[in-house]
Amino acid sequence: LAKRWAQQGNAPLESFVNLGAKDGLSDDPLQTLVQDATAVAWALAVEMNPEACQRHRANLPHVQLLCMKITPASIATIVEHLPPHLLHGQEQPALDLLKVDLDASDCDVLEAFLSRAKAKFVVTEVFDGIPPPIRFALHYSEDITWPPQPPWGCSLSYQVHML
């Protein structure tokens, strides 16, 4: 997608927010986009697992990293770390790509983030066990045990309806 975007004459993708970043490499769709520090103007990764956070810091030292729990309420703190030019107030989204992969309340977090900062592209996990047209989302609760049991996240229909 990033290559096609650039091939169509658009500026390369160079600003990223990765919510649920794990170690930054394994199983991360942003890995190829953020691995080369010279291709990244600005990037923020957020991960709650301390061991994965430590590995992320070693793997991608040029990416700003927050080691904290990601909830709809914590999005305000996360967004405070974005440079002012990536926040609302512009006609077109300034942030190139937002990725959300939490295996929990993904859509609640996505909605909270997008209410504060727009993104040109959104990459999110879809719980494929619930087919369209059924809408499903696991909403945030302090009572969710980790890791959550299926179903988790949100369905494709829920995401389409939300966006």
Side-chain angles (χ1 to χ4, degrees):
L1 180 64
K3 285 181 185 177
R4 279 190 160 171
W5 176 255
Q7 287 171 346
Q8 297 298 315
N10 298 296
L13 302 180
E14 59 183 18
S15 60
F16 309 92
V17 172
N18 189 347
L19 303 178
K22 301 180 184 69
D23 69 2
L25 300 180
S26 307
D27 231 12
D28 193 323
L30 296 191
Q31 183 259 336
T32 57
L33 297 172
V34 299
Q35 192 167 8
D36 178 7
T38 63
V40 176
W42 185 86
L44 172 67
V46 186
E47 174 56 46
M48 71 177 221
N49 178 290
E51 292 83 22
C53 219
Q54 187 176 17
R55 289 191 308 274
H56 192 291
R57 186 168 278 115
N59 292 336
L60 301 169
H62 59 282
V63 173
Q64 184 179 350
L65 181 63
L66 299 176
C67 300
M68 61 184 285
K69 187 174 181 179
I70 304 166
T71 68
S74 70
I75 289 298
T77 301
I78 293 167
V79 169
E80 287 176 3
H81 288 82
L82 273 68
H85 74 277
L86 295 181
L87 297 173
H88 278 313
Q90 300 179 13
E91 219 171 281
Q92 297 297 318
L95 176 65
D96 288 324
L97 197 146
L98 167 65
K99 186 211 94 179
V100 180
D101 183 358
L102 308 175
D103 297 334
S105 54
D106 298 42
C107 280
D108 290 350
V109 166
L110 176 62
E111 187 172 35
F113 188 95
L114 292 176
S115 73
R116 291 170 174 83
K118 296 178 188 176
K120 291 178 185 131
F121 294 99
V122 174
V123 176
T124 184
E125 181 177 49
V126 171
F127 182 75
D128 60 359
I130 300 179
I134 300 168
R135 288 187 223 154
F136 164 81
L138 177 63
H139 293 291
Y140 179 75
S141 168
E142 287 290 333
D143 297 329
I144 295 174
T145 58
W146 197 258
Q149 298 298 309
W152 57 80
C154 44
S155 68
L156 178 61
S157 291
Y158 190 96
Q159 291 178 18
V160 168
H161 180 76
M162 181 185 72
L163 296 172

